[in-house]
Amino acid sequence: MVERALPEAAHELLAQARRVRTALGRSAGSMLWTQWGTCRAGVPPVVLLHGGSGSWMHWLRCIAPLVDSGREVWAPDLPGCGDSDLPPGARDADDMVAPLHAGLRELLAGGACDLAGFSFGALAGTLLEAARPGTVRRLLLVGAPGLGVPPARVPLRAWRHLASEAAQDEVHRHNLAALMLADERAIDETALRLHAWNVARDRLQRRRLAGTDALVRALARVTCPVSVVYGENDALYLGRVASLEARFRATGCDLRGFIVIPGAGHWVAYEQPQALVAALGAALGSSAP
């Protein structure tokens, strides 16, 4: 397999970061967390959970603005993704709960966090708070699956069998346009390098919960304030995004906002980072609910 280098923008952020590993609980191996900013009294840190086949870099364009706003930011590579180890038998978002909870307890000394999850990370974060109430102060879900609404079939292409970087990149560009980004002009060199690095390290190959109603069932047990963001042109729910609000309200969760970002696709954090950071600020705030 072609070994890919991190994009330069990632190196620049890592030069300002602290990296910490936490245990996976009873399993051997560890989970990698990347941290920016400093803790402020009375302001919980923001934890950013990436999407499927991703890493902390799914949030690449949102991290500096969040730190500039005065927030401490933690962004892990979820187990089986990026530079985190895969726990034996782990396959899906429900297998993220125990290592996430253990890591947050260790890093935050048992304090609550604000949490933003993208796609697979939105499902993992919701399952975490449903199973371990009080872990999350406020929850922001971006491009969340698991709604009991069949997502669209997205025509992704295989790439692992291709020997050359150029051939792989052609497929990566197609897949980014098909699933992640609504405007093909957003598929710049950074997006391509980032995506290629991420998908090569995905070891969670049998995820199935996204196509079920796992998120809505978990939200029925979540009591913290919840806000939701979708890109208007999210490929998974194209033409149906606005109708999803009813699914969230039907859970009985404390839904504080349902925001649709015009022109954005599934990967809102890369395509419209300013709009998403503004939504984060509105949803997470800085004071107690």
Side-chain angles (χ1 to χ4, degrees):
M1 184 179 295
V2 179
E3 180 65 25
R4 298 304 185 101
L6 290 173
E8 184 58 34
H11 284 295
E12 292 172 0
L13 275 174
L14 289 176
Q16 307 164 37
R18 179 167 71 102
R19 310 199 90 184
V20 181
R21 286 191 174 271
T22 59
L24 292 176
R26 297 179 181 178
S27 304
S30 63
M31 181 175 175
L32 179 64
W33 301 74
T34 310
Q35 181 261 343
W36 295 264
T38 56
C39 180
R40 291 193 296 148
V43 183
V46 177
V47 174
L48 305 175
L49 302 185
H50 62 76
S53 302
S55 72
W56 69 270
M57 290 187 292
H58 270 167
W59 295 94
L60 186 79
R61 290 183 162 181
C62 296
I63 290 166
L66 284 170
V67 173
D68 289 344
S69 74
R71 300 303 292 260
E72 178 188 18
V73 175
W74 288 89
D77 289 355
L78 292 169
C81 302
D83 283 325
S84 289
D85 295 319
L86 175 67
R91 292 185 176 182
D92 217 318
D94 52 347
D95 297 309
M96 306 294 105
V97 171
L100 271 171
H101 185 252
L104 288 170
R105 281 182 61 85
E106 178 179 339
L107 297 173
L108 307 183
C113 65
D114 287 338
L115 188 146
F118 163 51
S119 197
F120 177 77
L123 181 53
T126 303
L127 292 171
L128 169 66
E129 178 58 16
R132 303 288 185 176
T135 302
V136 177
R137 184 193 73 148
R138 294 181 188 263
L139 183 63
L140 178 71
L141 308 178
V142 184
L147 303 176
V149 177
R153 291 185 177 273
V154 179
L156 299 180
R157 297 177 184 169
W159 59 272
R160 291 181 184 272
H161 64 290
L162 300 172
S164 75
E165 184 172 321
Q168 290 185 8
D169 282 354
E170 182 179 353
V171 175
H172 291 324
R173 285 185 183 278
H174 169 271
N175 290 346
L176 281 167
L179 174 60
M180 299 291 274
L181 299 166
D183 187 344
E184 291 192 25
R185 291 173 297 180
I187 308 174
D188 56 14
E189 190 67 16
T190 296
L192 187 63
R193 297 274 75 77
L194 186 164
H195 179 74
W197 192 95
N198 280 344
V199 296
R201 286 160 178 78
D202 177 19
R203 284 143 285 153
L204 290 168
Q205 295 292 311
R206 297 184 179 182
R207 296 187 300 273
R208 295 291 184 270
L209 286 178
T212 72
D213 64 349
L215 184 109
V216 295
R217 287 188 286 110
L219 277 176
R221 307 194 306 274
V222 168
T223 59
C224 72
V226 177
S227 297
V228 176
V229 173
Y230 283 93
E232 176 187 28
N233 298 319
D234 190 319
L236 294 178
Y237 303 104
L238 196 60
R240 299 179 291 165
V241 168
S243 69
L244 299 179
E245 182 175 358
R247 304 290 295 182
F248 288 92
R249 296 206 178 276
T251 68
C253 72
D254 183 8
L255 186 64
R256 299 292 180 91
F258 185 92
I259 301 169
V260 178
I261 296 182
H266 187 56
W267 191 9
V268 180
Y270 195 86
E271 196 162 18
Q272 298 281 356
Q274 291 181 328
L276 184 53
V277 169
L280 277 162
L284 304 182
S286 60
S287 58

